[in-house]
Amino acid sequence: MIHKYKLNDKFILLDINSGGVFKIDEITYDILDHYPEKDRNTVTKLLQSKYKVLDIGQSIDEIDTLISSDELFSEQESITYDFKNNTSIKAMCLHVSHDCNIRCKYCFASQGNFQGEKLLMDEETGKAAIDFLIYNSIGRRNLEIDFFGGEPLLNFALIKKLVNYARDKEVQHNKNFRFTITTNALLLNDENIEYINDNMDNVVLSIDGRKETNDNMRYTINNQGTYDIIIDNLKNLVNKRGDKDYYLRGTFTKFNLDFSNDVLHLADCGFDKISVEPVVAKPDMDYALCKEDLPKLFDEYEKLSIQYLKRKKDNPFNFFHFNIDLDHGPCLYKRVSGCGAGNDYIAITPLGDIYPCHQFVGDEKFKLGSLETGIINKDIKDQFYKANLVEKTKCTDCWAKYYCGGGCLANAYNTNLDILSPDEVGCELEKKRLECAIMIQTEQ
Amino acid sequence: MKHIIKINKGTLNNLEKKGCGECQTSCQSACKTSCTVGNQKCENK
Ligand code: SF4
Ligand code: SF4
Protein backbone atom coordinates (compact mmCIF):
# COMPACT_ATOMS: atom_id res chain seq x y z
CA MET A 1 0.00 0.00 0.00
CA ILE A 2 1.18 3.52 -0.75
CA HIS A 3 -0.15 6.97 0.03
CA LYS A 4 0.81 10.13 -1.78
CA TYR A 5 -0.19 13.72 -1.22
CA LYS A 6 0.68 17.28 -2.02
CA LEU A 7 1.19 19.78 0.74
CA ASN A 8 3.04 23.08 0.94
CA ASP A 9 3.96 22.65 -2.74
CA LYS A 10 5.72 19.37 -1.99
CA PHE A 11 4.86 15.94 -3.32
CA ILE A 12 5.23 13.23 -0.74
CA LEU A 13 5.04 9.48 -1.07
CA LEU A 14 4.69 6.97 1.75
CA ASP A 15 5.17 3.24 1.65
CA ILE A 16 2.78 2.12 4.33
CA ASN A 17 3.96 -1.37 5.19
CA SER A 18 7.62 -0.47 5.56
CA GLY A 19 7.13 3.07 6.85
CA GLY A 20 9.30 4.48 4.05
CA VAL A 21 8.99 8.19 3.22
CA PHE A 22 9.97 9.79 -0.09
CA LYS A 23 9.89 13.19 -1.66
CA ILE A 24 8.91 12.94 -5.29
CA ASP A 25 8.42 15.24 -8.24
CA GLU A 26 5.19 15.95 -10.01
CA ILE A 27 5.82 13.46 -12.84
CA THR A 28 6.28 10.63 -10.39
CA TYR A 29 3.23 11.79 -8.50
CA ASP A 30 1.14 11.59 -11.66
CA ILE A 31 2.67 8.32 -12.82
CA LEU A 32 1.71 6.68 -9.56
CA ASP A 33 -1.93 7.38 -10.33
CA HIS A 34 -1.61 4.64 -12.97
CA TYR A 35 1.55 2.69 -12.39
CA PRO A 36 2.14 -0.20 -11.66
CA GLU A 37 -1.47 -1.27 -12.29
CA LYS A 38 -1.16 -0.15 -15.89
CA ASP A 39 1.96 -1.04 -17.84
CA ARG A 40 4.76 1.28 -18.85
CA ASN A 41 3.55 1.88 -22.40
CA THR A 42 0.02 2.71 -21.41
CA VAL A 43 1.20 5.12 -18.71
CA THR A 44 3.61 6.79 -21.13
CA LYS A 45 0.82 7.33 -23.61
CA LEU A 46 -1.43 8.73 -20.95
CA LEU A 47 1.09 11.28 -19.77
CA GLN A 48 3.17 12.16 -22.81
CA SER A 49 1.18 15.28 -23.56
CA LYS A 50 2.21 16.66 -20.19
CA TYR A 51 5.78 15.31 -19.73
CA LYS A 52 8.77 14.28 -21.82
CA VAL A 53 8.80 10.58 -22.66
CA LEU A 54 12.39 10.35 -21.43
CA ASP A 55 11.45 11.72 -18.01
CA ILE A 56 8.48 9.40 -17.73
CA GLY A 57 10.75 6.45 -18.48
CA GLN A 58 13.34 7.55 -15.93
CA SER A 59 10.77 8.00 -13.23
CA ILE A 60 9.25 4.59 -13.88
CA ASP A 61 12.75 3.08 -13.70
CA GLU A 62 13.21 4.62 -10.28
CA ILE A 63 9.87 3.30 -9.12
CA ASP A 64 10.84 -0.15 -10.36
CA THR A 65 14.13 -0.02 -8.48
CA LEU A 66 12.31 0.71 -5.22
CA ILE A 67 9.74 -2.00 -5.88
CA SER A 68 12.44 -4.57 -6.49
CA SER A 69 14.23 -3.68 -3.24
CA ASP A 70 10.89 -4.01 -1.40
CA GLU A 71 10.85 -0.34 -0.46
CA LEU A 72 7.75 0.54 -2.40
CA PHE A 73 4.56 -1.51 -2.43
CA SER A 74 6.36 -3.56 0.16
CA GLU A 75 4.86 -6.72 1.56
CA GLN A 76 2.63 -6.61 4.59
CA GLU A 77 4.22 -8.32 7.60
CA SER A 78 1.78 -10.73 9.07
CA ILE A 79 1.44 -9.68 12.65
CA THR A 80 -0.46 -10.88 15.65
CA TYR A 81 -1.13 -8.64 18.57
CA ASP A 82 -0.46 -11.10 21.35
CA PHE A 83 3.16 -10.14 21.51
CA LYS A 84 5.29 -10.27 24.58
CA ASN A 85 4.26 -7.93 27.36
CA ASN A 86 1.26 -6.22 25.90
CA THR A 87 -1.11 -7.05 28.72
CA SER A 88 1.36 -6.57 31.48
CA ILE A 89 0.48 -3.12 32.85
CA LYS A 90 2.95 -0.32 32.48
CA ALA A 91 1.06 2.91 32.80
CA MET A 92 -1.45 4.10 35.30
CA CYS A 93 -3.56 7.19 35.41
CA LEU A 94 -4.04 7.82 39.07
CA HIS A 95 -7.10 9.90 39.81
CA VAL A 96 -5.98 11.34 43.11
CA SER A 97 -8.84 13.81 43.14
CA HIS A 98 -12.33 13.67 41.79
CA ASP A 99 -12.86 17.23 42.69
CA CYS A 100 -11.96 20.26 40.69
CA ASN A 101 -11.54 23.96 41.39
CA ILE A 102 -12.64 25.08 37.96
CA ARG A 103 -15.40 24.23 35.55
CA CYS A 104 -14.76 23.33 31.95
CA LYS A 105 -17.64 22.99 29.54
CA TYR A 106 -16.13 20.05 27.72
CA CYS A 107 -14.83 18.21 30.75
CA PHE A 108 -15.27 14.48 30.23
CA ALA A 109 -15.00 14.23 33.98
CA SER A 110 -18.30 16.11 34.34
CA GLN A 111 -16.67 19.05 36.07
CA GLY A 112 -14.25 17.03 38.08
CA ASN A 113 -16.30 14.38 39.75
CA PHE A 114 -16.62 11.82 36.95
CA GLN A 115 -20.35 11.36 37.32
CA GLY A 116 -19.89 10.54 40.97
CA GLU A 117 -19.21 12.15 44.30
CA LYS A 118 -16.40 14.62 44.88
CA LEU A 119 -13.68 12.51 46.38
CA LEU A 120 -10.02 12.62 47.21
CA MET A 121 -7.97 9.45 47.09
CA ASP A 122 -6.60 8.35 50.46
CA GLU A 123 -3.10 7.16 51.19
CA GLU A 124 -3.98 3.52 51.53
CA THR A 125 -5.65 3.42 48.12
CA GLY A 126 -2.78 5.31 46.50
CA LYS A 127 -0.21 2.90 47.88
CA ALA A 128 -2.33 -0.08 46.89
CA ALA A 129 -2.45 1.31 43.35
CA ILE A 130 1.31 1.53 43.19
CA ASP A 131 1.64 -2.01 44.53
CA PHE A 132 -0.90 -3.15 41.96
CA LEU A 133 1.13 -1.60 39.19
CA ILE A 134 4.36 -3.16 40.41
CA TYR A 135 2.85 -6.64 40.70
CA ASN A 136 1.05 -6.48 37.39
CA SER A 137 3.96 -5.18 35.35
CA ILE A 138 5.83 -8.42 35.00
CA GLY A 139 8.59 -8.16 32.44
CA ARG A 140 8.61 -4.39 32.33
CA ARG A 141 10.98 -1.97 33.92
CA ASN A 142 9.75 1.48 32.88
CA LEU A 143 6.48 2.29 34.62
CA GLU A 144 4.48 5.47 34.24
CA ILE A 145 2.16 7.14 36.67
CA ASP A 146 0.14 10.20 35.81
CA PHE A 147 -1.31 12.10 38.75
CA PHE A 148 -4.62 13.11 37.36
CA GLY A 149 -7.99 14.39 38.44
CA GLY A 150 -10.24 16.35 38.70
CA GLU A 151 -7.48 18.60 39.84
CA PRO A 152 -4.60 16.64 41.39
CA LEU A 153 -3.14 19.64 43.23
CA LEU A 154 -6.20 19.47 45.49
CA ASN A 155 -4.54 16.36 46.86
CA PHE A 156 -0.94 17.45 46.68
CA ALA A 157 0.05 16.03 50.06
CA LEU A 158 -0.89 12.57 48.83
CA ILE A 159 1.12 12.98 45.63
CA LYS A 160 4.26 13.65 47.65
CA LYS A 161 3.68 10.60 49.80
CA LEU A 162 3.08 8.40 46.79
CA VAL A 163 6.17 9.60 44.97
CA ASN A 164 8.26 8.70 48.02
CA TYR A 165 6.52 5.37 48.31
CA ALA A 166 7.11 4.51 44.66
CA ARG A 167 10.74 5.60 44.83
CA ASP A 168 11.32 3.25 47.78
CA LYS A 169 9.68 0.40 45.96
CA GLU A 170 11.36 0.84 42.62
CA VAL A 171 14.77 -0.14 43.92
CA GLN A 172 13.38 -3.23 45.59
CA HIS A 173 11.56 -4.36 42.48
CA ASN A 174 13.97 -3.15 39.80
CA LYS A 175 11.48 -0.74 38.26
CA ASN A 176 11.90 2.77 36.98
CA PHE A 177 8.98 5.10 37.68
CA ARG A 178 8.27 8.09 35.52
CA PHE A 179 5.83 10.57 36.95
CA THR A 180 3.58 13.01 35.19
CA ILE A 181 1.13 15.49 36.65
CA THR A 182 -1.76 16.94 34.68
CA THR A 183 -2.96 20.19 36.22
CA ASN A 184 -5.13 23.18 35.41
CA ALA A 185 -2.40 25.39 36.93
CA LEU A 186 -4.71 27.34 39.20
CA LEU A 187 -3.01 26.29 42.42
CA LEU A 188 0.55 26.42 41.21
CA ASN A 189 2.87 28.38 43.50
CA ASP A 190 6.62 28.61 44.07
CA GLU A 191 6.60 25.76 46.50
CA ASN A 192 4.70 23.17 44.49
CA ILE A 193 6.43 24.28 41.29
CA GLU A 194 9.77 23.45 42.86
CA TYR A 195 8.49 20.06 43.89
CA ILE A 196 6.94 19.35 40.50
CA ASN A 197 10.04 20.39 38.62
CA ASP A 198 12.20 18.19 40.84
CA ASN A 199 10.01 15.12 40.79
CA MET A 200 7.80 15.01 37.73
CA ASP A 201 9.33 13.74 34.51
CA ASN A 202 6.56 15.42 32.58
CA VAL A 203 3.95 18.05 33.37
CA VAL A 204 0.80 18.52 31.37
CA LEU A 205 -0.60 22.02 31.86
CA SER A 206 -4.07 22.82 30.68
CA ILE A 207 -4.76 26.03 28.80
CA ASP A 208 -6.65 26.33 25.53
CA GLY A 209 -4.85 29.25 23.90
CA ARG A 210 -5.97 32.84 23.54
CA LYS A 211 -7.76 34.42 26.47
CA GLU A 212 -11.15 34.46 24.77
CA THR A 213 -10.82 30.84 23.67
CA ASN A 214 -9.70 29.68 27.06
CA ASP A 215 -12.15 31.69 29.10
CA ASN A 216 -15.09 30.61 26.98
CA MET A 217 -14.53 27.00 28.01
CA ARG A 218 -12.52 27.15 31.24
CA TYR A 219 -13.79 29.22 34.13
CA THR A 220 -13.88 29.26 37.89
CA ILE A 221 -16.79 28.33 40.08
CA ASN A 222 -17.75 32.04 40.02
CA ASN A 223 -17.79 32.11 36.23
CA GLN A 224 -14.54 33.99 35.96
CA GLY A 225 -12.27 33.00 33.07
CA THR A 226 -9.07 31.25 34.18
CA TYR A 227 -6.62 32.72 31.69
CA ASP A 228 -5.48 35.69 33.78
CA ILE A 229 -5.09 33.54 36.86
CA ILE A 230 -3.01 30.80 35.27
CA ILE A 231 -0.87 32.43 32.63
CA ASP A 232 1.77 33.69 35.06
CA ASN A 233 1.74 30.41 36.96
CA LEU A 234 2.46 28.58 33.75
CA LYS A 235 5.30 30.89 32.86
CA ASN A 236 6.72 30.56 36.34
CA LEU A 237 6.76 26.78 36.15
CA VAL A 238 8.12 26.60 32.63
CA ASN A 239 10.84 29.19 33.25
CA LYS A 240 12.15 27.16 36.14
CA ARG A 241 11.84 23.81 34.42
CA GLY A 242 15.04 23.79 32.40
CA ASP A 243 15.20 21.01 29.82
CA LYS A 244 12.65 18.77 31.43
CA ASP A 245 9.53 17.79 29.55
CA TYR A 246 6.28 19.62 29.84
CA TYR A 247 3.35 20.26 27.54
CA LEU A 248 0.82 23.01 27.43
CA ARG A 249 -2.27 21.04 26.60
CA GLY A 250 -5.25 22.74 25.04
CA THR A 251 -8.46 21.56 23.48
CA PHE A 252 -10.10 23.03 20.44
CA THR A 253 -13.82 22.86 19.85
CA LYS A 254 -16.40 24.15 17.44
CA PHE A 255 -16.02 27.53 19.16
CA ASN A 256 -12.43 28.00 18.03
CA LEU A 257 -12.12 26.34 14.66
CA ASP A 258 -9.28 28.77 13.94
CA PHE A 259 -7.21 26.97 16.57
CA SER A 260 -3.89 27.57 14.80
CA ASN A 261 -4.12 31.07 16.28
CA ASP A 262 -4.38 29.56 19.73
CA VAL A 263 -1.32 27.43 19.19
CA LEU A 264 0.63 30.41 17.86
CA HIS A 265 -0.57 32.55 20.74
CA LEU A 266 0.90 30.08 23.21
CA ALA A 267 4.12 30.00 21.22
CA ASP A 268 4.19 33.81 21.23
CA CYS A 269 3.87 33.75 25.01
CA GLY A 270 7.19 31.92 25.05
CA PHE A 271 6.02 28.34 25.52
CA ASP A 272 7.84 25.88 23.33
CA LYS A 273 6.04 22.59 23.95
CA ILE A 274 2.44 22.74 22.93
CA SER A 275 -0.29 20.22 22.34
CA VAL A 276 -3.68 21.48 21.24
CA GLU A 277 -6.14 18.80 20.29
CA PRO A 278 -9.65 18.22 19.04
CA VAL A 279 -12.26 17.85 21.75
CA VAL A 280 -13.57 14.36 22.43
CA ALA A 281 -17.32 14.78 22.80
CA LYS A 282 -20.65 13.20 22.17
CA PRO A 283 -21.88 14.46 18.77
CA ASP A 284 -24.93 16.23 20.25
CA MET A 285 -22.88 18.68 22.29
CA ASP A 286 -22.86 22.22 20.90
CA TYR A 287 -19.06 22.40 21.07
CA ALA A 288 -18.53 19.02 19.32
CA LEU A 289 -16.72 19.01 16.00
CA CYS A 290 -18.55 17.64 12.99
CA LYS A 291 -17.84 16.72 9.38
CA GLU A 292 -18.77 20.18 8.14
CA ASP A 293 -15.92 21.63 10.18
CA LEU A 294 -13.29 19.49 8.49
CA PRO A 295 -12.30 21.74 5.55
CA LYS A 296 -11.67 24.63 7.92
CA LEU A 297 -9.74 22.43 10.34
CA PHE A 298 -7.61 20.92 7.54
CA ASP A 299 -6.76 24.40 6.47
CA GLU A 300 -5.77 25.28 10.03
CA TYR A 301 -3.42 22.30 10.32
CA GLU A 302 -1.81 23.19 7.01
CA LYS A 303 -1.41 26.82 7.99
CA LEU A 304 0.06 25.77 11.29
CA SER A 305 2.52 23.38 9.67
CA ILE A 306 3.78 26.12 7.37
CA GLN A 307 4.18 28.57 10.25
CA TYR A 308 5.85 25.82 12.22
CA LEU A 309 8.46 25.34 9.55
CA LYS A 310 9.03 29.09 9.25
CA ARG A 311 9.63 29.38 12.97
CA LYS A 312 11.95 26.36 13.03
CA LYS A 313 14.86 28.59 12.17
CA ASP A 314 14.81 31.26 14.81
CA ASN A 315 11.74 30.80 16.94
CA PRO A 316 11.14 27.07 17.13
CA PHE A 317 8.48 25.37 19.16
CA ASN A 318 7.34 21.84 19.45
CA PHE A 319 3.77 20.92 18.53
CA PHE A 320 2.97 17.50 19.92
CA HIS A 321 1.17 16.16 16.90
CA PHE A 322 3.85 17.27 14.51
CA ASN A 323 6.42 15.15 16.30
CA ILE A 324 7.13 12.12 14.28
CA ASP A 325 10.28 10.18 14.65
CA LEU A 326 10.74 8.53 11.29
CA ASP A 327 13.97 6.80 12.26
CA HIS A 328 13.37 5.78 15.83
CA GLY A 329 9.64 5.44 16.06
CA PRO A 330 8.01 2.48 17.73
CA CYS A 331 8.04 -1.01 16.25
CA LEU A 332 5.17 -2.57 14.38
CA TYR A 333 3.90 -4.37 17.48
CA LYS A 334 3.33 -1.12 19.27
CA ARG A 335 1.72 0.45 16.24
CA VAL A 336 -0.67 -2.46 15.92
CA SER A 337 -1.64 -2.57 19.57
CA GLY A 338 -2.51 1.14 19.71
CA CYS A 339 -3.19 3.18 22.81
CA GLY A 340 -3.19 0.26 25.19
CA ALA A 341 -6.28 1.30 27.16
CA GLY A 342 -7.38 -1.58 29.38
CA ASN A 343 -4.26 -3.52 28.48
CA ASP A 344 -0.98 -1.90 29.38
CA TYR A 345 -2.74 1.26 30.50
CA ILE A 346 -5.40 1.59 33.22
CA ALA A 347 -6.97 4.31 35.31
CA ILE A 348 -7.64 4.12 39.05
CA THR A 349 -10.38 6.15 40.76
CA PRO A 350 -10.12 7.70 44.24
CA LEU A 351 -11.97 4.67 45.63
CA GLY A 352 -9.66 2.23 43.91
CA ASP A 353 -11.87 1.16 41.03
CA ILE A 354 -10.10 0.18 37.84
CA TYR A 355 -11.11 1.44 34.40
CA PRO A 356 -9.55 0.95 30.95
CA CYS A 357 -8.47 4.59 30.81
CA HIS A 358 -9.27 8.02 32.21
CA GLN A 359 -11.89 8.65 29.53
CA PHE A 360 -14.00 5.70 30.63
CA VAL A 361 -13.86 6.44 34.35
CA GLY A 362 -17.28 6.68 35.92
CA ASP A 363 -19.09 4.69 33.25
CA GLU A 364 -19.85 1.57 35.29
CA LYS A 365 -20.20 -0.61 32.20
CA PHE A 366 -16.50 -0.27 31.67
CA LYS A 367 -15.37 -0.95 35.21
CA LEU A 368 -12.72 -3.64 35.09
CA GLY A 369 -12.60 -4.33 38.81
CA SER A 370 -10.96 -2.74 41.83
CA LEU A 371 -7.63 -2.76 43.60
CA GLU A 372 -9.15 -5.24 46.03
CA THR A 373 -10.59 -7.66 43.51
CA GLY A 374 -8.11 -7.10 40.71
CA ILE A 375 -9.31 -7.11 37.12
CA ILE A 376 -12.38 -9.34 37.16
CA ASN A 377 -14.52 -8.05 34.33
CA LYS A 378 -12.96 -10.33 31.75
CA ASP A 379 -15.50 -9.41 29.13
CA ILE A 380 -14.46 -5.75 29.08
CA LYS A 381 -10.83 -6.71 29.40
CA ASP A 382 -11.20 -8.93 26.36
CA GLN A 383 -12.98 -6.24 24.36
CA PHE A 384 -10.11 -3.84 24.95
CA TYR A 385 -7.56 -6.52 24.25
CA LYS A 386 -9.08 -6.99 20.85
CA ALA A 387 -9.35 -3.27 20.15
CA ASN A 388 -6.27 -3.14 17.94
CA LEU A 389 -5.45 -2.63 14.30
CA VAL A 390 -5.77 -6.26 13.38
CA GLU A 391 -9.39 -6.36 14.52
CA LYS A 392 -10.60 -2.97 13.32
CA THR A 393 -11.99 -3.33 9.85
CA LYS A 394 -12.05 0.43 9.24
CA CYS A 395 -8.33 0.62 9.87
CA THR A 396 -7.19 -2.26 7.67
CA ASP A 397 -7.25 -0.24 4.47
CA CYS A 398 -6.31 3.07 6.02
CA TRP A 399 -2.96 4.46 4.95
CA ALA A 400 -2.47 6.10 8.34
CA LYS A 401 -2.80 2.94 10.38
CA TYR A 402 0.81 2.50 11.44
CA TYR A 403 1.17 6.12 12.47
CA CYS A 404 -2.19 6.38 14.12
CA GLY A 405 -2.45 3.04 15.84
CA GLY A 406 -6.22 2.90 15.53
CA GLY A 407 -7.40 6.06 17.21
CA CYS A 408 -8.93 6.85 20.56
CA LEU A 409 -11.29 4.14 21.77
CA ALA A 410 -13.22 6.60 23.89
CA ASN A 411 -13.76 8.77 20.87
CA ALA A 412 -14.99 5.73 18.95
CA TYR A 413 -17.34 4.84 21.76
CA ASN A 414 -18.70 8.37 22.10
CA THR A 415 -19.56 8.61 18.44
CA ASN A 416 -20.37 5.07 17.40
CA LEU A 417 -21.05 3.29 20.69
CA ASP A 418 -18.42 0.79 19.64
CA ILE A 419 -14.78 0.92 20.62
CA LEU A 420 -13.89 -0.94 17.41
CA SER A 421 -15.43 1.67 15.17
CA PRO A 422 -13.23 4.78 15.04
CA ASP A 423 -14.78 8.23 14.98
CA GLU A 424 -14.70 9.51 11.42
CA VAL A 425 -14.03 13.15 12.24
CA GLY A 426 -11.20 12.02 14.51
CA CYS A 427 -9.78 9.89 11.69
CA GLU A 428 -9.86 12.70 9.16
CA LEU A 429 -8.11 15.05 11.55
CA GLU A 430 -5.53 12.43 12.43
CA LYS A 431 -4.73 11.86 8.77
CA LYS A 432 -4.33 15.55 8.11
CA ARG A 433 -2.07 15.98 11.16
CA LEU A 434 0.06 13.10 9.97
CA GLU A 435 0.39 14.51 6.48
CA CYS A 436 1.54 17.79 7.99
CA ALA A 437 3.92 16.10 10.42
CA ILE A 438 5.55 14.03 7.69
CA MET A 439 5.80 17.02 5.38
CA ILE A 440 7.65 18.85 8.15
CA GLN A 441 10.05 15.94 8.48
CA THR A 442 10.83 16.00 4.78
CA GLU A 443 11.89 19.62 5.11
CA GLN A 444 14.41 19.12 7.89
CA MET B 1 17.77 9.07 -8.23
CA LYS B 2 16.44 12.12 -9.92
CA HIS B 3 12.73 11.89 -9.40
CA ILE B 4 12.52 10.25 -6.00
CA ILE B 5 14.39 11.32 -2.89
CA LYS B 6 14.45 8.87 -0.04
CA ILE B 7 13.80 10.68 3.23
CA ASN B 8 13.61 7.59 5.33
CA LYS B 9 14.05 3.92 4.67
CA GLY B 10 11.16 2.12 6.28
CA THR B 11 12.15 -0.59 8.71
CA LEU B 12 8.75 -1.59 10.04
CA ASN B 13 9.08 -4.93 8.29
CA ASN B 14 11.99 -5.82 10.48
CA LEU B 15 10.54 -7.37 13.60
CA GLU B 16 13.68 -8.92 14.98
CA LYS B 17 14.03 -8.26 18.71
CA LYS B 18 11.04 -5.95 18.67
CA GLY B 19 8.00 -5.81 20.89
CA CYS B 20 9.81 -5.31 24.21
CA GLY B 21 7.05 -3.05 25.48
CA GLU B 22 9.29 -0.48 27.16
CA CYS B 23 8.23 2.54 25.16
CA GLN B 24 5.91 5.18 26.52
CA THR B 25 2.17 4.69 26.57
CA SER B 26 0.77 7.10 24.01
CA CYS B 27 -1.84 8.75 26.15
CA GLN B 28 0.55 9.43 29.00
CA SER B 29 2.77 11.63 26.91
CA ALA B 30 0.67 14.73 26.47
CA CYS B 31 -2.46 14.12 24.64
CA LYS B 32 -4.81 12.25 26.92
CA THR B 33 -7.22 11.70 24.10
CA SER B 34 -5.85 11.27 20.65
CA CYS B 35 -3.76 8.20 20.36
CA THR B 36 -1.10 8.60 17.60
CA VAL B 37 1.55 6.01 18.25
CA GLY B 38 3.85 7.20 15.49
CA ASN B 39 5.25 9.98 17.63
CA GLN B 40 6.49 7.76 20.43
CA LYS B 41 10.12 6.83 20.60
CA CYS B 42 11.38 3.26 20.53
CA GLU B 43 13.30 2.53 23.73
CA ASN B 44 14.79 -0.66 22.41
CA LYS B 45 18.22 0.58 21.46
S1 SF4 C 1 -7.14 7.18 11.06
FE1 SF4 C 1 -8.97 6.06 11.67
S2 SF4 C 1 -9.17 4.38 10.21
FE2 SF4 C 1 -7.07 5.20 10.08
S3 SF4 C 1 -5.89 3.88 11.48
FE3 SF4 C 1 -6.54 5.69 12.62
S4 SF4 C 1 -8.43 5.07 13.61
FE4 SF4 C 1 -8.05 3.59 11.99
S1 SF4 D 1 -9.08 5.33 24.68
FE1 SF4 D 1 -8.46 7.37 24.01
S2 SF4 D 1 -8.13 8.50 25.91
FE2 SF4 D 1 -8.15 6.33 26.43
S3 SF4 D 1 -5.98 5.67 26.37
FE3 SF4 D 1 -6.88 5.28 24.35
S4 SF4 D 1 -6.40 7.09 23.13
FE4 SF4 D 1 -6.15 7.64 25.29
Side-chain angles (χ1 to χ4, degrees), chain A residues 301-356:
Chain A
Y301 275 119
E302 290 194 12
K303 256 177 29 197
L304 185 61
S305 66
I306 291 164
Q307 274 301 317
Y308 192 79
L309 274 175
K310 276 198 187 133
R311 293 189 184 205
K312 271 264 154 205
K313 288 178 201 96
D314 30 46
N315 223 346
F317 69 95
N318 174 333
F319 182 64
F320 179 71
H321 273 125
F322 289 167
N323 292 342
I324 262 199
D325 193 335
L326 294 177
D327 295 323
H328 306 284
C331 64
L332 197 58
Y333 292 111
K334 168 88 170 188
R335 292 173 196 250
V336 166
S337 53
C339 71
N343 291 299
D344 60 22
Y345 177 53
I346 53 169
I348 309 286
T349 70
L351 290 177
D353 289 338
I354 306 175
Y355 283 88

Side-chain angles (χ1 to χ4, degrees), chain A residues 11 24 45 90 108 133 160 174 195 288 329 334 349 420:
Chain A
F11 297 93
I24 56 179
K45 272 188 205 131
K90 79 178 308 252
F108 58 86
L133 177 55
K160 291 202 235 177
N174 187 29
Y195 182 85
K334 168 88 170 188
T349 70
L420 291 181

Side-chain angles (χ1 to χ4, degrees), chain A residues 205 207 234 238 246-250 266 271 273-276:
Chain A
L205 301 155
I207 180 171
L234 297 173
V238 170
Y246 75 90
Y247 266 102
L248 253 52
R249 164 66 167 90
L266 295 173
F271 300 109
K273 297 189 178 79
I274 302 166
S275 176
V276 173

Side-chain angles (χ1 to χ4, degrees), chain B:
Chain B
M1 286 204 267
K2 191 175 147 212
H3 300 273
I4 306 181
I5 303 168
K6 196 186 300 175
I7 303 291
N8 169 64
K9 182 169 162 40
T11 53
L12 284 185
N13 291 336
N14 178 4
L15 292 179
E16 217 178 307
K17 297 208 185 114
K18 294 294 184 183
C20 70
E22 290 297 347
C23 53
Q24 196 179 29
T25 301
S26 323
C27 236
Q28 293 290 75
S29 38
C31 56
K32 286 280 173 200
T33 53
S34 45
C35 194
T36 312
V37 294
N39 56 7
Q40 306 300 323
K41 274 200 179 359
C42 174
E43 305 220 7
N44 183 340
K45 296 281 150 42

